[in-house]
Amino acid sequence: MTDALKRLSDEGVAIWLDDLSRKRITSGNLAELIDQSHVVGVTTNPSIFQKAISHGDGYEQQLTDLATRKVTVDEAIRMITTADVRDAADILRPVFDSTDGQDGRVSIEVDPRLAHHTDATVAEAKQLAWLVDRPNTLIKIPATKAGLPAIIEVIGKGISVNVTLIFSLERYREVMDAYLAGLEKAKAAGLDLSKIHSVASFFVSRVDTEIDKRLDAVGTDEAKALKGKAALANARLAYQAFEEVFSSDRWSVLDKAHANKQRPLWASTGVKDPAYKDTLYVDDLVAPGTVNTMPEATLDATADHGQITGNTIAGTYEQARAELDAIGGLGVSYDDVVQLLEDEGVEKFEAAWIDLLNSTEAELKRLAPSEG
């Protein structure tokens, strides 16, 4: 094992784990990762919970109790997932305290079926914050058009948010604008801005997957030479936007009121193409004030052979813009790709949630006490 994870952390990158299950909590594995692998946060999503509850152990007793109470499947899912997030938040609480609330956080997502419904998303976010009832929770809200006003409302109520499913640079700027608007609303309401935190989850690997497929269809040598470039270029330009917004006059006013910057979080950092190094989206996205949330395989790969060589984003903006322009010049539409990825992201999480509902409903029926 190398000290790559320590070096990454020392460069100002917060290492979060993109996974959670009850077994990981009860076995001591999460505590071990915090202690030994510099993990300072956890993200979840509907796919993670679907996998954990459908295939994991540790849920039988709670499912039996819920079946005995005859709760609805929706209520059962919320009782199970919020219990896991609450327990993980308690394990991470020392990190939260030692970083003044910056890290030590656990994210839980609003029902993905609400992604295009602003008011319902706000109501669900408030409910989740109340259910988990831990200060180190982040409520995940997707960066859909309907999600943007929901972010303003939720931040304005003093609830910390992880904005998820961001693929495009334009949408990312809208997300930062929504965060600032939410902070301004919270400030006007007299809330303590120092207690409100947010990350913006900018998705990485899926951009290469989709654009590489289109470059293969173009088939020229120039197209092939651009494979594996788009995701890093996109993320690096997002960091440029982050630097611009959080050095603006508008931000300065909020900064004086002790507001926290909304950190860019690199999401979907597991490499999908085996032709690329498995630590690509870690090694090449190092910059201060960022978060990298990794599936365990990527965390292990980084620990084993990650090449952390300092800031790998500074000085790359011109090249990144040239690479995206070159890809566009070959007829691959950036706008089309990022909209497709957002739509697919919402659909995948919704499908995972429905799978989770169906499998949990089957378990509740199996465990229900016989009548009589």
Side-chain angles (χ1 to χ4, degrees):
M1 299 286 273
T2 69
D3 282 334
L5 293 173
K6 182 180 187 305
R7 289 200 299 276
L8 187 63
S9 183
D10 288 345
E11 287 292 338
V13 180
I15 300 166
W16 290 9
L17 178 71
D18 193 26
D19 191 50
L20 187 64
S21 66
R22 189 154 298 177
K23 187 174 182 181
R24 196 182 283 286
I25 292 165
T26 57
S27 67
N29 172 261
L30 178 58
E32 188 177 285
L33 290 173
I34 295 164
D35 185 50
Q36 299 178 13
S37 299
H38 304 277
V39 168
V40 293
V42 169
T43 50
T44 68
N45 63 45
S47 300
I48 286 169
F49 277 129
Q50 193 273 332
K51 181 182 173 188
I53 297 169
S54 301
H55 306 294
D57 53 27
Y59 297 98
E60 185 95 355
Q61 185 58 58
Q62 189 178 13
L63 280 164
T64 300
D65 291 345
L66 292 165
T68 302
R69 288 175 50 215
K70 298 181 180 177
V71 303
T72 66
V73 64
D74 287 277
E75 185 183 351
I77 293 298
R78 275 312 179 206
M79 291 298 104
I80 293 166
T81 57
T82 54
D84 280 359
V85 168
R86 189 181 308 114
D87 288 344
D90 288 344
I91 294 168
L92 279 155
R93 183 60 188 261
V95 177
F96 174 81
D97 291 337
S98 67
T99 61
D100 200 25
Q102 182 92 316
D103 289 306
R105 291 186 170 270
V106 188
S107 299
I108 184 167
E109 191 136 358
V110 297
D111 185 331
R113 295 172 297 178
L114 306 178
H116 302 296
H117 304 281
T118 302
D119 292 344
T121 293
V122 173
E124 171 96 341
K126 287 159 59 181
Q127 172 77 353
L128 284 174
W130 178 81
L131 271 175
V132 177
D133 193 27
R134 294 295 183 271
N136 50 330
T137 311
L138 288 171
I139 307 302
K140 289 180 84 171
I141 296 175
T144 55
K145 278 293 185 187
L148 295 171
I151 293 159
I152 297 172
E153 285 298 311
V154 174
I155 291 289
K157 293 180 186 303
I159 297 170
S160 295
V161 171
N162 175 344
V163 184
T164 188
L165 291 175
I166 307 170
F167 295 95
S168 83
L169 294 166
E170 180 184 2
R171 184 57 53 83
Y172 178 44
R173 286 186 179 274
E174 291 175 335
V175 165
M176 289 188 286
D177 183 70
Y179 176 60
L180 297 187
L183 287 176
E184 287 158 353
K185 195 164 187 169
K187 183 170 179 277
L191 300 182
D192 181 356
L193 300 194
S194 72
K195 303 293 186 191
I196 305 171
H197 287 259
S198 184
V199 293
S201 294
F202 198 88
F203 278 54
V204 185
S205 66
R206 296 185 196 182
V207 174
D208 270 343
T209 301
E210 182 60 32
I211 287 185
D212 283 0
K213 184 170 69 177
R214 297 182 186 210
L215 290 171
D216 278 335
V218 174
T220 63
D221 288 344
E222 184 188 358
K224 289 172 185 171
L226 287 166
K227 286 182 65 179
K229 307 281 190 188
L232 289 176
N234 200 38
R236 287 166 169 173
L237 292 173
Y239 191 79
Q240 181 185 35
F242 161 74
E243 290 185 311
E244 288 173 6
V245 169
F246 289 98
S247 60
S248 66
D249 291 342
R250 184 183 181 190
W251 168 249
S252 180
V253 174
L254 293 164
D255 187 39
K256 288 186 176 77
H258 309 292
N260 299 289
K261 291 180 180 178
Q262 181 187 55
R263 289 181 293 171
L265 178 150
W266 310 129
S268 183
T269 55
V271 172
K272 305 288 194 290
D273 188 332
Y276 304 149
K277 64 178 179 177
D278 54 3
T279 59
L280 176 67
Y281 305 126
V282 179
D283 297 351
D284 290 14
L285 288 176
V286 177
T290 60
V291 179
N292 195 311
T293 186
M294 309 178 205
E296 192 167 20
T298 304
L299 184 73
D300 290 344
T302 303
D304 183 63
H305 53 264
Q307 299 295 311
I308 308 304
T309 57
N311 190 324
T312 48
I313 292 182
T316 64
Y317 302 148
E318 196 173 322
Q319 181 189 354
R321 174 51 62 195
E323 285 168 346
L324 287 189
D325 286 347
I327 289 166
L330 293 173
V332 176
S333 168
Y334 175 86
D335 290 343
D336 182 61
V337 166
V338 293
Q339 187 59 55
L340 174 72
L341 291 173
E342 180 187 306
D343 294 342
E344 285 183 349
V346 172
E347 287 166 9
K348 284 175 183 174
F349 281 173
E350 190 171 325
W353 195 257
I354 291 167
D355 284 347
L356 176 56
L357 288 169
N358 291 338
S359 59
T360 302
E361 188 169 36
E363 282 295 284
L364 291 171
K365 285 179 180 172
R366 181 179 72 83
L367 295 166
S370 55
E371 297 294 333

